Amino acid sequence: MAKKSLLAKEMANGYGLTEWRKNGLPNGYFPHWEFNVYGNVMSDRFIRMFNRGSGGELDRKACAVHSSSMLAYNFFHWINGDHPLELTFDSKALTFSHVFFEIRMIPLGLSTSKKSPANMDVMLMSEDGRDVLMLESKLLEYTENRSYELKMPESYLDEGKYCKSTDAAYWKKVITTFQAQNNGCAAPRYFAGIKQNLCHLIAIDNLIFRDQDALKFLMEENDGLQLNPDANIIYKTLLFKPDEGRFKDESSAYNDYQCLILNNLNSSLPNHKVGMISYSDLWRQARCQMNDDLQAFLEHRYMQFANPS
């Protein structure tokens, strides 16, 4: 369970299938990850996606009631051609007919990244492939693993390690500028999330600039997945925003991480901006497109603990 997290404890207290509901889940973990997904079943296609991820998502982490990967799966797994998801971002209406999980991408050159690729939690794609939404899901991670500085592998400071199509000097400057402005802060912050955002941004850049190694890796590591050459890729950090009235410590950590991204990180990114959206924001748009049973499941499992606004 997330250390000292009241939200994680409350999520565990009322959760479980019928045989566990009387006592909740004292340790915050189901005995198997299948008990943590809607309907207690996952298609073989999605199982393959989670098993190939270097994060090892279908292990004990997926048994936790506060698993961010299982939150993402439960929230998006139903999307397909017959049941698309319609969302509006920046006044633009988008329709997504395909969903993928644990997308593997290379932020650096193939020889450097092959053993440690970036894993995107969720990718939504329109029917024609022209609109792509990539999401990094976080439930309680920003309350944990906090530190006093951003630590990036040395390979990210070596311009020769980047893909040929990438502006390596730009990304090296972004990293060193952020470190100079933020390392050594007075209180610990969720810099691990900043590292992940930077890796994702670089990997997405490789795809946007049609780096051949990056595109080949995407296809080979993700069941033949190919991007439309004209794809408009939107990247956002997707955070679970706790109820501010009930979970003050978690809400404070959420607000600090939001500030770290929207202010500190984005100020170091002259040519990019990391967008942020909460599950509460998506819930308002998506819930009416789900069946009643899934709505009830998500409300009971997650949204009753989320900030309503």
Side-chain angles (χ1 to χ4, degrees):
M1 182 182 302
K3 187 177 181 180
K4 298 181 181 179
S5 171
L6 175 62
L7 175 55
K9 292 176 183 177
E10 289 207 12
M11 290 179 74
N13 285 340
Y15 280 6
L17 301 176
T18 303
E19 61 265 34
W20 293 309
R21 278 185 178 153
K22 290 183 179 179
N23 300 316
L25 293 170
N27 68 348
Y29 287 81
F30 291 101
H32 192 275
W33 62 263
E34 288 180 335
F35 296 120
N36 204 16
V37 301
Y38 175 69
N40 306 130
V41 64
M42 182 185 291
S43 72
D44 290 342
R45 172 175 174 258
F46 289 141
I47 289 175
R48 286 197 305 272
M49 291 181 186
F50 282 105
N51 280 339
R52 73 186 172 216
S54 59
E57 297 302 339
L58 289 186
D59 57 13
R60 192 166 186 268
K61 291 189 298 182
C63 297
V65 295
H66 54 273
S67 165
S68 59
S69 62
M70 293 301 97
L71 166 59
Y73 169 79
N74 287 324
F75 206 95
F76 296 107
H77 75 278
W78 55 276
I79 298 169
N80 58 42
D82 294 325
H83 303 96
L85 173 63
E86 297 179 2
L87 297 174
T88 300
F89 291 119
D90 302 323
S91 301
K92 182 180 179 181
L94 303 171
T95 301
F96 299 104
S97 303
H98 304 281
V99 59
F100 308 89
F101 298 101
E102 293 299 313
I103 297 300
R104 290 161 63 85
M105 308 178 295
I106 55 170
L108 299 179
L110 189 59
S111 60
T112 304
S113 295
K114 193 169 185 178
K115 293 183 179 180
S116 56
N119 289 278
M120 187 69 65
D121 286 327
V122 184
M123 186 175 84
L124 305 181
M125 184 183 293
S126 62
E127 188 63 38
D128 62 7
R130 288 180 176 271
D131 294 308
V132 174
L133 176 62
M134 293 189 174
L135 300 168
E136 179 59 36
S137 172
K138 300 295 181 192
L139 205 167
L140 287 175
E141 288 90 342
Y142 52 82
T143 69
E144 309 168 307
N145 303 321
R146 290 186 285 182
S147 64
Y148 293 90
E149 60 182 8
L150 170 66
K151 294 181 179 179
M152 296 293 291
E154 288 297 320
S155 52
Y156 283 84
L157 302 180
D158 183 347
E159 295 180 22
K161 298 292 186 180
Y162 284 76
C163 289
K164 295 178 181 178
S165 304
T166 303
D167 187 347
Y170 167 82
W171 286 111
K172 179 181 177 180
K173 184 176 181 180
V174 165
I175 292 168
T176 56
T177 298
F178 182 91
Q179 290 175 323
Q181 294 175 349
N182 296 278
N183 282 4
C185 53
R189 311 184 77 176
Y190 185 48
F191 286 113
I194 298 300
K195 174 186 174 183
Q196 198 169 37
N197 273 289
L198 286 168
C199 293
H200 287 334
L201 286 171
I202 298 169
I204 291 171
D205 249 17
N206 293 337
L207 298 177
I208 290 174
F209 290 108
R210 309 295 295 174
D211 182 88
Q212 293 305 301
D213 284 343
L215 293 171
K216 182 180 180 182
F217 184 88
L218 182 76
M219 181 178 67
E220 292 179 348
E221 294 291 322
N222 300 282
D223 296 333
L225 176 62
Q226 298 186 54
L227 285 182
N228 187 316
D230 299 320
N232 173 41
I233 301 177
I234 302 171
Y235 170 61
K236 291 183 180 292
T237 292
L238 175 60
L239 299 184
F240 185 86
K241 185 176 184 180
D243 187 320
E244 294 177 341
R246 299 163 61 190
F247 308 108
K248 297 188 182 301
D249 289 344
E250 291 87 345
S251 295
S252 176
Y254 174 95
N255 292 332
D256 183 69
Y257 185 47
Q258 177 176 264
C259 178
L260 192 61
I261 289 179
L262 299 184
N263 295 340
N264 303 52
L265 177 58
N266 280 345
S267 68
S268 302
L269 290 166
N271 300 335
H272 299 74
K273 288 293 178 286
V274 177
M276 180 178 286
I277 190 170
S278 72
Y279 273 99
S280 298
D281 295 329
L282 285 186
W283 181 238
R284 285 192 293 273
Q285 295 194 55
R287 65 180 302 174
C288 62
Q289 302 174 59
M290 304 173 182
N291 67 52
D292 292 343
D293 191 53
L294 178 57
Q295 286 188 51
F297 173 87
L298 292 173
E299 178 66 37
H300 173 70
R301 277 292 174 96
Y302 308 106
M303 303 314 297
Q304 64 165 312
F305 304 104
N307 203 59
S309 60

